């Protein structure tokens, strides 16, 4: 990606946040601000162009980092990398409702942070710029198209079942039919056909 990318840091420990801000500048990114709570994050997000969010999970206030990221994503989808001292499965699964593009366990180092940010930016903005092959979609039913689009947005079968109010078995059946119709052997191959 070209040029300086604006990064919002959501972290309530001031020394860690400032260190992170300096580190971002050293890596060639622009830290547009540090938010220690939901309200400040919302203000900074709404008054700046934000390309990526680095978000601690445990922050001050009523809303934690995951809830804050969820609210920010309602305004505009933005890639998020979570920073946490914890890596338990419950926390990680809670992050799946947001645009999670990485999860770094503290303490992280400069190299890990740089790689995580660059991968997240490339993956998110590449997906955003990809063009959907509408001719390919014309071969499928309305329900199958919904499922393909949800798969393309990174949703799992259980996510899709919940979103569409159908059983996971029904989703599996649809996915199987979609692969047969498309002649694809895997979901990855299907998504390559979906995008030009």
């Amino acid at each position: 990606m070209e040029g300086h990318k604006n990064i919002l840091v959501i972290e309530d420990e001031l020394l860690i946040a400032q260190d992170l801000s300096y580190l971002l500048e050293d890596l060639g990114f622009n830290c547009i601000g540090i938010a220690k709570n939901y309200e400040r994050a919302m203000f900074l997000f709404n008054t700046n162009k934000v390309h990526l969010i680095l978000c601690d999970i445990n922050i001050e206030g009523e809303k934690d980092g995951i809830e804050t990221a969820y609210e920010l994503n309602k305004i505009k989808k933005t890639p998020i990398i979570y920073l946490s001292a914890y890596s338990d499965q419950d926390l990680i699964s809670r992050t799946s409702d947001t645009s999670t593009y990485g999860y770094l366990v503290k303490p992280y180092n400069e190299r890990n942070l740089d790689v995580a940010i660059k991968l997240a930016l490339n993956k998110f903005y590449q997906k955003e710029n990809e063009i959907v092959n509408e001719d390919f979609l014309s071969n499928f039913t309305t329900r199958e198209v919904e499922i393909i689009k949800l798969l393309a947005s990174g949703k799992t079968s259980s996510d899709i079942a919940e979103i569409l109010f159908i059983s996971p078995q029904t989703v599996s059946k649809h996915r199987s039919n979609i692969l047969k119709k498309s002649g694809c052997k895997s979901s990855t191959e299907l998504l390559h056909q979906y995008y030009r």
Side-chain angles (χ1 to χ4, degrees):
M1 295 200 57
E2 301 297 316
H4 284 287
K5 296 300 164 203
N6 295 336
I7 298 179
L8 169 61
V9 173
I10 303 174
E11 168 67 71
D12 64 349
E13 291 184 47
L14 188 59
L15 286 175
I16 292 173
Q18 286 176 333
D19 185 50
L20 192 51
S21 172
Y22 299 139
L23 191 53
L24 290 171
E25 300 289 337
D26 289 346
L27 293 170
F29 300 106
N30 179 33
C31 177
I32 57 102
I34 296 167
K36 64 179 183 177
N37 56 34
Y38 165 78
E39 291 77 17
R40 182 71 180 154
M42 192 61 79
F43 172 78
L44 289 169
F45 190 79
N46 284 320
T47 55
N48 293 276
K49 181 170 183 155
V50 177
H51 296 104
L52 182 130
I53 300 166
L54 288 175
C55 185
D56 186 16
I57 291 176
N58 294 314
I59 60 172
E60 283 183 12
E62 288 182 22
K63 292 188 189 295
D64 68 9
I66 298 170
E67 292 164 318
T68 298
Y70 181 78
E71 293 300 322
L72 295 176
N73 262 274
K74 284 183 183 176
I75 298 166
K76 181 179 180 274
K77 285 275 185 214
T78 306
I80 297 160
I81 297 174
Y82 286 101
L83 309 171
S84 180
Y86 308 100
S87 60
D88 62 87
Q89 194 55 48
D90 288 343
L91 265 186
I92 294 169
S93 64
R94 279 187 61 218
T95 67
S96 66
D97 287 339
T98 59
S99 291
T100 308
Y101 278 76
Y103 192 106
L104 290 175
V105 178
K106 295 176 183 178
Y108 46 82
N109 62 39
E110 180 177 339
R111 181 80 185 124
N112 290 350
L113 183 66
D114 188 36
V115 169
I117 291 171
K118 286 177 179 166
L119 280 173
L121 289 169
N122 285 335
K123 191 173 177 186
F124 181 83
Y125 291 101
Q126 176 189 357
K127 187 187 286 185
E128 188 180 73
N129 294 326
E130 286 177 313
I131 299 166
V132 172
N133 183 350
E134 295 295 341
D135 291 339
F136 176 70
L137 291 180
S138 66
N139 302 321
F140 301 99
T141 66
T142 304
R143 178 62 86 190
E144 288 168 345
V145 169
E146 287 176 323
I147 290 170
I148 292 168
K149 287 180 177 178
L150 288 166
L151 286 171
S153 73
K155 301 295 183 199
T156 64
S157 287
S158 57
D159 293 334
I160 294 169
E162 200 172 307
I163 291 164
L164 298 178
F165 302 104
I166 57 179
S167 73
Q169 293 81 5
T170 304
V171 174
S172 293
K173 191 182 270 188
H174 280 301
R175 286 184 73 166
S176 177
N177 289 339
I178 289 166
L179 289 177
K180 276 184 198 159
K181 280 186 181 181
S182 67
C184 296
K185 293 181 177 71
S186 69
S187 294
T188 305
E189 194 180 330
L190 177 79
L191 295 179
H192 282 299
Q193 296 273 346
Y194 174 66
Y195 293 113
R196 285 189 194 142

